[in-house]
Amino acid sequence: AEAKKNWDLFYKRNSDHFFKDRHWLTREFKAIRLLDEAGSGVVFEVGCGVGNTIYPLLEECPTLFFYGCDLSPRAVDMVKSHKNYDQDKISCFPCDITCPEPPLTNHIPAGSVDLITLIYCLSAIAPEKMAIAIQNIKQVLKPGGSVILRDYGLYDHAMLRFKSGHKIQDQFYKRQDGTRAYYFTTEEIAGLFEGAGFEEIFNYYVEKETSKQERRDLSSEDICTISIQTSLPIQHFMTPRTATD
């Protein structure tokens, strides 16, 4: 309830002006381009915010259908009020993916999604609820479907800038506005998803130097942002063999 309130207040203050549209996604994740080139496909954007992933992808990949969900009803309303919102191409709804009830399948048929995107979303969830969230979204993924993830990496500059009193636990911090962020290692990402039945295609750190000109609120030094980029297809499960005498 607190997380929902804080993200709703975040979007009330910032509207759709805070995050930039993610035009880099098709460049970084080949799976999106391949799905579009196949002529059809279903993408589920988890933590869709105000549509900074959905709308750039809709423009670049017109054959795809998009589901989107967010903890903040206010953010979902902004997605639906966007000038390019099309009910034939987008279905967006508020949802807490850490809760099994009401089930996600109330909005998305089980086993119907080709690709799930988690872009700076998993880090906003309390660590003890991450495994539940992954299991919850997995139920709508097709056999052989994939998850792509981009999120905060350990020792990102934003993590190092937190002042005392903002640390909830190791690697997990609360911002001044009440929203939270976890900073991952690649090993943690691999463990979370492999434990849910996924196999790793790639999982690595992305480092980017950001200058004072790019980030007006920074000091004079150049800083380094660290993200983790991951692609994980779901494994095909097989019935275990019965031991014979």
Side-chain angles (χ1 to χ4, degrees):
E2 183 184 357
K4 178 181 176 180
K5 179 189 73 174
N6 288 331
W7 279 109
D8 235 25
L9 288 171
F10 173 89
Y11 288 111
K12 182 179 181 180
R13 284 190 300 268
N14 296 291
S15 185
D16 59 355
H17 307 307
F18 191 85
F19 298 112
K20 294 181 179 179
D21 283 349
R22 293 158 179 157
H23 293 285
W24 47 266
L25 284 166
T26 53
R27 181 181 71 248
E28 297 289 337
F29 292 105
K30 183 180 177 182
I32 303 172
R33 300 196 307 272
L34 293 176
L35 196 59
D36 180 54
E37 290 167 5
S40 66
V42 177
V43 176
F44 176 28
E45 164 71 348
V46 182
C48 65
V50 297
N52 297 105
T53 292
I54 288 176
Y55 286 113
L57 289 183
L58 181 64
E59 181 181 347
E60 294 182 51
C61 304
T63 70
L64 303 181
F65 180 88
F66 295 89
Y67 288 105
C69 78
D70 200 275
L71 183 61
S72 166
R74 189 182 299 273
V76 170
D77 288 343
M78 291 181 188
V79 174
K80 292 182 174 182
S81 64
H82 192 282
K83 62 180 181 179
N84 293 331
Y85 184 73
D86 180 352
Q87 289 185 336
D88 293 331
K89 300 293 293 182
I90 303 170
S91 175
C92 198
F93 53 93
C95 178
D96 182 353
I97 61 166
T98 68
C99 295
E101 297 293 337
L104 192 56
T105 50
N106 282 3
H107 300 278
I108 305 174
S112 66
V113 171
D114 296 287
L115 182 69
I116 293 175
T117 58
L118 285 163
I119 311 300
Y120 297 103
C121 171
L122 196 61
S123 55
I125 296 172
E128 66 272 14
K129 295 183 177 181
M130 290 177 184
I132 298 169
I134 293 168
Q135 288 288 354
N136 198 19
I137 63 174
K138 176 185 167 185
Q139 64 185 314
V140 301
L141 196 62
K142 289 179 180 178
S146 297
V147 171
I148 59 174
L149 174 145
R150 180 85 171 251
D151 221 322
Y152 300 112
L154 188 64
Y155 303 125
D156 180 87
H157 184 75
M159 173 184 167
L160 301 179
R161 292 176 70 200
F162 278 111
K163 294 180 171 60
S164 60
H166 288 265
K167 186 175 181 179
I168 301 170
Q169 62 187 72
D170 285 350
Q171 300 169 235
F172 193 39
Y173 295 81
K174 179 181 284 189
R175 303 183 183 96
Q176 194 168 0
D177 62 7
T179 62
R180 300 175 297 179
Y182 188 87
Y183 294 84
F184 292 98
T185 65
T186 52
E187 291 80 8
E188 286 172 319
I189 293 292
L192 279 166
F193 282 91
E194 288 171 2
F198 291 83
E199 58 183 349
E200 182 180 297
I201 296 298
F202 59 77
N203 182 19
Y204 58 87
Y205 294 102
V206 177
E207 296 189 25
K208 179 186 175 185
E209 288 193 353
T210 306
S211 68
K212 176 184 172 184
Q213 288 74 28
E214 293 175 291
R215 292 280 298 275
R216 289 175 296 177
D217 60 332
L218 297 179
S219 63
S220 58
E221 318 95 53
D222 286 358
I223 60 93
C224 186
T225 60
I226 301 173
S227 303
I228 289 175
Q229 196 147 290
T230 309
S231 179
L232 306 123
I234 192 169
Q235 294 178 353
H236 293 273
F237 290 98
M238 300 179 65
T239 304
R241 291 181 180 178
T242 304
T244 55
D245 295 330

